[in-house]
Amino acid sequence: MDRYEGTAHLEWWANRSTCPARIPVRIVPAAGNGTWKAPASPPLDRDAGEDLPLLIDAGPHFTLRFDDDAATEVEVAHPGDTNRLLLRTGATSDPGA
């Protein structure tokens, strides 16, 4: 999956049954194994742009769900712009985890 380029969704799960954030992104491999640039696509609205840093601060581990429903856990960072995220892969996660 390190070389995958395309659309996906970032999901932030509060628990096994509650996903308060699902963000469409376009992922592009970045320098370094298991690292992606992930611009929000479409760009986040004002409320989502304000809420996303709070979620990242609460727990930077999101589920990255690909179009074929495959998923992996990623650590999310936003270097000053919540519409231009950086993702680093972790362990594969179960759907809804």
Side-chain angles (χ1 to χ4, degrees):
M1 288 188 202
D2 291 351
R3 296 180 184 261
Y4 177 84
E5 183 171 338
T7 58
H9 284 86
L10 281 172
E11 300 172 343
W12 191 89
W13 290 86
N15 56 46
R16 291 193 65 74
S17 62
T18 306
C19 179
R22 188 167 194 261
I23 302 160
V25 292
R26 173 118 183 110
I27 58 175
V28 178
N33 193 19
T35 304
W36 285 295
K37 294 179 183 177
S41 179
L44 300 174
D45 65 24
R46 182 173 164 244
D47 289 340
E50 291 174 358
D51 292 344
L52 183 57
L54 299 174
L55 292 177
I56 293 171
D57 289 345
H61 295 96
F62 286 60
T63 299
L64 179 64
R65 191 163 313 276
F66 299 93
D67 291 337
D68 64 359
D69 209 34
T72 190
E73 184 178 308
V74 293
E75 185 175 353
V76 177
H78 67 95
D81 183 353
T82 56
N83 282 301
R84 300 195 182 280
L85 303 170
L86 295 175
L87 313 179
R88 189 175 15 192
T89 58
T92 301
S93 61
D94 294 327

